[in-house]
Amino acid sequence: MKKILNKLGNIIDHSKIFHILLLGISSITLIGLVYLTYLLNQEADLSNLDTDLMKPTVIYDEKSEEASKISANKTEGVAIEEVPEHVIDAVLSIEDHRFYEHNGIDIKGIIRAAFENLFAGGIVQGGSTITQQLAKNTILTPEKTFERKIKEVVIASQIEYQYTKDEILEMYLNQIYFGHGAWGIQNACRVYFGKNVEDVTLAEAAMLAGLIHSPSALDPYKNFDSAKKRQGVVLSQMKVFNEIDEADYEKALREDIRLTKLSDPLKGKYPFYVDQVIYEAVHKYGLKQDDLLTGGYKIYTELDQNMQETVEKVYEEDAYFTDGSNPDEETESAAVLLDPNDGGVRALVGGRSEHVFLGYNRATQLKTQPGSTMKPLAVYTPALEEGYGIKDLLLDEKTEFAGGYSPKNNNNQYDGEVPMFEAVYKSKNIPAVWLLNEIGIQTGMDAAERFGINLGDANRQLGLALGGGEVSVSPLNMAQAYSALANEGVMHEAHLIKKIVNKSGETVAAFEGKEKKVTTKKVAKDMTTMLKGVVDHKEGTGRYARVEGWDIAGKTGSTQVVGATAQNAIKDQWFVGYSPNLVGAVWSGYDKTTSEQYLVRDSTKGSAIVFQKIMSGALPNVKNEKFDVPSVYKLEEEMEKKTLRDLWEEQKKKINDSFKEWMERWRGNE
């Protein structure tokens, strides 16, 4: 009490400020009352209050056709008579304990919350009733404005006039969001505990009631301690309001909460793609996950349903994927298809294992080494920019570079010198490292950064040429990077979402196209010439990625397993390739690679084969254009002719030199 008097005394001491504040509050109150009177005369349409609870968020494809829904079991409700008393008490105690006493607006609660917030120096209590929350979640948009708050109060009053308290509570319990795609108390009980609502314990009910405040922050699967702490707050409130006694309180606190294994609540199609749509909406456009999943949004995307279905079918065929050394652990993989002309992600699969709603998406969240798929980005593109030609000879012999760095070619074969295009299609390591050393590591790093590959000082080493060290990428990163080569040097920002429309028809987010010139048209064409050789040449490392009737350019990549003694052990396996109108990136590996658990190299399986199967099904959905570049076989013919000419010139010189020497001797004998 002494603290309260001191605070009031401080306010009264500043009498001028107090009177100005009082005048301002009076003015705002008067304006609010006038506006409130106006709104009270505007009848809200409550006829669809029940059906609004069943409105899902809809995902549309690139043609604006419905593709998927985020609906979970939102339409499945439960009658208020079937909800146990301790469940109702838990919710009311923490959300609105005077629910059965007020008429939709709890004046006492608002005043109490205002004083508690004043003395706490911040907002610690809210004044919204369950009826107001129902109005906000089902009829109004989620923006925080004075006007919306006034409307919320008005509509809450009208709901109270048209419905009984039990009807309002039933609607609220059946539509409130508890996280993990669970709308309504019945679905929440099933998602978290694998039970129907009538079977949950007091402890479980208190934990669920606590989630309403912030399902994401209090997610017991990720933040169990926070959820447990919030459960204690709910139980304390129940004890304060005499809904439970001390013995019930202590027993519930001690009860061991056992969460069920998460099931996938997403009943729509294309779950990995939809996951990334939600992620992009939250992290790029600032929408709240809980609002997004419960708000009946329309999300327009770059999805091509035919391509997505193709990728998903390929990922159902185990025979295409590289085997691992551990037969008890399935190898993983992820793939992305992207349109290089606009950056739109057409298809995406984030793993081979069972999908978990908003779980680990390897297509976008993976961070691993790119291996030799880095060579075109950090070595050959900047070398061409520096004036090197694709037929220039590069060193190919065992070499120890500065710092004792001694890389090897994968097959331990060395040719002394090789033309650049051959070094690319055979994926030779020594020429790539030698060339990076020649142009300078910083030049290579700058080029990789332009391609969207983030590097730090730890990558300032010649190992960058081979995609080792601290380089860390995902299939989406690599698809975006290679799209610049497919699109004549111009890279568009990779994205899934075109726009997001709320249930009121307002566009709340829209993609603003971003593009960047990464390199010149000529350099991009030269790179495509060499990367096409990777696929077309009989000795090309990517020959298994060839798609009959289509031009494909691309690059293989693999990384080593630290500590493994087996010669065929690899950590990451990549293929990144493109046609003029579609880019694909495929990664294979384990989530955790060890010296005992790794991929077993097999040229007849793995990322190149998966790429070939995906592109074979996806490419018929785009225009079949050809690259306007020469074949590497033609380049080889030119090199052979050049070699023959060089040999002839050498022989001519030798003959001429010999003739001159003979003439000089003959003249001397005279």
Side-chain angles (χ1 to χ4, degrees):
M1 189 64 183
K2 185 176 180 181
K3 289 183 179 179
I4 294 174
L5 291 174
N6 285 337
K7 288 196 176 187
L8 290 174
N10 289 336
I11 294 173
I12 294 169
D13 284 344
H14 298 82
S15 57
K16 290 183 180 179
I17 297 174
F18 178 76
H19 284 104
I20 292 171
L21 185 62
L22 186 61
L23 181 61
I25 293 172
S26 299
S27 300
I28 293 171
T29 303
L30 180 60
I31 294 170
L33 287 173
V34 171
Y35 188 57
L36 182 59
T37 303
Y38 165 75
L39 288 175
L40 284 170
N41 292 318
Q42 308 298 309
E43 197 69 29
D45 181 13
L46 306 181
S47 60
N48 65 343
L49 187 61
D50 297 300
T51 56
D52 236 17
L53 306 183
M54 299 182 284
K55 198 176 219 179
T57 288
V58 181
I59 308 294
Y60 295 88
D61 67 11
E62 61 166 338
K63 298 176 181 176
S64 297
E65 295 177 358
E66 186 175 309
S68 188
K69 291 182 178 179
I70 309 170
S71 58
N73 294 312
K74 191 173 181 179
T75 60
E76 184 179 352
V78 61
I80 192 69
E81 294 82 8
E82 299 175 33
V83 182
E85 187 175 346
H86 62 270
V87 175
I88 293 174
D89 290 341
V91 172
L92 293 182
S93 293
I94 197 65
E95 291 296 318
D96 185 3
H97 81 277
R98 284 174 35 81
F99 173 71
Y100 282 98
E101 300 172 30
H102 60 65
N103 293 315
I105 302 96
D106 186 5
I107 302 300
K108 290 183 179 179
I110 292 172
I111 294 172
R112 183 186 66 254
F115 271 100
E116 290 189 17
N117 293 337
L118 173 65
F119 296 135
I123 298 176
V124 296
Q125 286 286 328
S128 290
T129 65
I130 277 178
T131 315
Q132 287 175 262
Q133 291 182 51
L134 183 63
K136 178 181 70 175
N137 293 337
T138 59
I139 297 175
L140 298 170
T141 53
E143 74 271 14
K144 296 181 179 180
T145 64
F146 178 72
E147 180 180 357
R148 199 225 68 195
K149 195 66 179 177
I150 294 294
K151 287 181 179 179
E152 179 185 301
V153 169
V154 172
I155 294 173
S157 299
Q158 294 176 2
I159 291 173
E160 291 272 347
Y161 181 75
Q162 293 191 32
Y163 294 92
T164 67
K165 284 289 187 179
D166 284 348
E167 287 172 337
I168 294 169
L169 185 57
E170 180 178 296
M171 288 188 287
Y172 174 82
L173 289 174
N174 282 322
Q175 65 82 38
I176 199 69
Y177 186 59
F178 289 88
H180 286 288
W183 283 267
I185 192 68
Q186 174 74 304
N187 299 309
C189 292
R190 289 176 178 173
V191 166
Y192 289 102
F193 308 121
K195 301 177 178 180
N196 289 322
V197 65
E198 62 264 27
D199 298 321
V200 297
T201 66
L202 170 61
E204 292 167 339
M207 180 163 283
L208 289 179
L211 297 182
I212 295 172
H213 174 66
S214 183
S216 297
L218 299 171
D219 180 356
Y221 289 102
K222 298 178 180 177
N223 304 304
F224 185 81
D225 290 344
S226 297
K228 183 68 177 174
K229 184 177 180 180
R230 179 69 175 172
Q231 177 207 42
V233 174
V234 174
L235 290 170
S236 295
Q237 290 292 95
M238 293 180 75
K239 188 171 66 168
V240 168
F241 300 129
N242 298 316
E243 304 296 349
I244 58 174
D245 58 24
E246 183 67 29
D248 292 330
Y249 171 78
E250 294 293 339
K251 181 181 178 183
L253 276 183
R254 290 194 304 270
E255 182 176 317
D256 182 22
I257 296 290
R258 296 188 177 183
L259 300 171
T260 189
K261 182 181 178 181
L262 270 179
S263 59
D264 188 347
L266 187 66
K267 299 304 180 185
K269 297 190 291 184
Y270 320 133
F272 281 113
Y273 194 99
V274 171
D275 277 0
Q276 187 60 22
V277 167
I278 296 171
Y279 183 91
E280 195 172 286
V282 172
H283 292 85
K284 182 172 182 177
Y285 296 109
L287 277 73
K288 290 186 177 180
Q289 179 180 302
D290 297 341
D291 291 341
L292 187 70
L293 296 179
T294 61
Y297 286 87
K298 295 180 179 180
I299 306 180
Y300 295 85
T301 74
E302 298 283 2
L303 173 70
D304 183 304
Q305 295 193 62
N306 292 324
M307 292 188 190
Q308 182 68 30
E309 288 171 4
T310 292
V311 179
E312 291 184 3
K313 286 178 182 177
V314 169
Y315 269 71
E316 292 172 0
E317 298 293 334
D318 293 342
Y320 300 147
F321 294 89
T322 306
D323 296 325
S325 61
N326 181 1
D328 298 326
E329 187 74 20
E330 184 179 56
T331 59
E332 274 298 347
S333 182
V336 169
L337 292 180
L338 181 147
D339 188 334
N341 301 299
D342 60 14
V345 175
R346 300 290 182 242
L348 180 153
V349 167
R352 296 179 64 201
S353 52
E354 184 179 356
H355 173 262
V356 175
F357 184 55
L358 295 179
Y360 182 42
N361 195 331
R362 297 165 189 83
T364 59
Q365 296 173 331
L366 179 76
K367 294 298 178 186
T368 193
Q369 296 170 325
S372 290
T373 60
M374 180 60 77
K375 291 174 182 175
L377 312 180
V379 180
Y380 294 115
T381 291
L384 293 173
E385 292 169 344
E386 292 289 308
Y388 281 84
I390 61 177
K391 293 187 286 186
D392 285 355
L393 295 176
L394 310 179
L395 182 72
D396 183 32
E397 59 186 36
K398 287 186 177 181
T399 306
E400 182 175 309
F401 296 93
Y405 181 51
S406 302
K408 298 178 181 179
N409 287 339
N410 288 328
N411 58 6
N412 282 317
Q413 294 180 7
Y414 306 89
D415 297 316
E417 285 184 328
V418 290
M420 185 188 293
F421 68 84
E422 183 177 337
V424 172
Y425 77 67
K426 288 184 177 179
S427 197
K428 285 178 169 284
N429 290 337
I430 297 296
V433 175
W434 177 83
L435 190 55
L436 179 61
N437 190 54
E438 290 295 305
I439 64 175
I441 295 175
Q442 186 60 52
T443 301
M445 292 180 69
D446 291 343
E449 292 277 358
R450 292 202 310 272
F451 278 106
I453 308 300
N454 295 322
L455 301 175
D457 286 338
N459 297 118
R460 197 177 302 280
Q461 54 179 292
L462 289 175
L464 172 66
L466 309 182
E470 301 297 319
V471 185
S472 187
V473 297
S474 70
L476 184 61
N477 295 146
M478 297 308 290
Q480 177 180 271
Y482 273 64
S483 72
L485 302 177
N487 195 42
E488 299 182 337
V490 177
M491 184 175 74
H492 293 269
E493 181 184 357
H495 63 284
L496 283 74
I497 294 174
K498 289 182 178 179
K499 66 176 180 177
I500 303 174
V501 177
N502 66 19
K503 64 183 178 181
S504 299
E506 301 169 318
T507 299
V508 296
F511 176 71
E512 297 179 1
K514 294 180 181 179
E515 63 179 56
K516 178 170 67 174
K517 186 175 181 180
V518 175
T519 189
T520 66
K521 180 177 179 179
K522 182 183 183 306
V523 168
K525 280 185 170 293
D526 282 346
M527 282 307 312
T528 295
T529 298
M530 295 191 290
L531 294 175
K532 190 170 181 290
V534 173
V535 178
D536 289 348
H537 199 280
K538 63 182 180 181
E539 295 183 63
T541 58
R543 58 191 178 278
Y544 292 107
R546 192 176 305 143
V547 179
E548 193 66 35
W550 296 81
D551 270 6
I552 299 291
K555 187 70 189 72
T556 54
S558 61
T559 60
Q560 296 179 336
V561 181
V562 177
T565 56
Q567 294 297 312
N568 60 353
I570 53 175
K571 176 178 174 286
D572 304 287
Q573 186 185 59
W574 288 89
F575 191 86
V576 187
Y578 55 92
S579 74
N581 292 306
L582 191 65
V583 183
V586 179
W587 166 86
S588 301
Y590 279 108
D591 288 337
K592 184 178 181 181
T593 299
T594 68
S595 59
E596 302 297 326
Q597 179 171 283
Y598 48 80
L599 293 183
V600 178
R601 190 190 301 274
D602 183 347
S603 61
T604 65
K605 293 182 177 182
S607 295
I609 302 296
V610 174
F611 174 91
Q612 194 276 337
K613 298 299 181 183
I614 287 172
M615 294 294 272
S616 295
L619 282 172
N621 296 287
V622 301
K623 186 177 180 180
N624 189 354
E625 296 182 3
K626 301 297 182 182
F627 292 123
D628 182 21
V629 298
S631 163
V632 288
Y633 284 113
K634 183 179 180 180
L635 297 180
E636 286 184 332
E637 289 176 8
E638 292 173 355
M639 293 293 289
E640 287 174 6
K641 289 179 181 178
K642 180 182 178 182
T643 301
L644 288 172
R645 283 196 302 269
D646 291 343
L647 287 172
W648 172 239
E649 292 297 329
E650 287 178 13
Q651 290 301 318
K652 279 172 61 179
K653 186 175 184 300
K654 286 180 180 179
I655 292 170
N656 287 334
D657 289 345
S658 296
F659 180 74
K660 288 178 181 178
E661 184 179 347
W662 179 82
M663 286 294 292
E664 288 175 359
R665 287 178 181 175
W666 180 74
R667 287 171 183 155
N669 290 332
E670 288 184 335

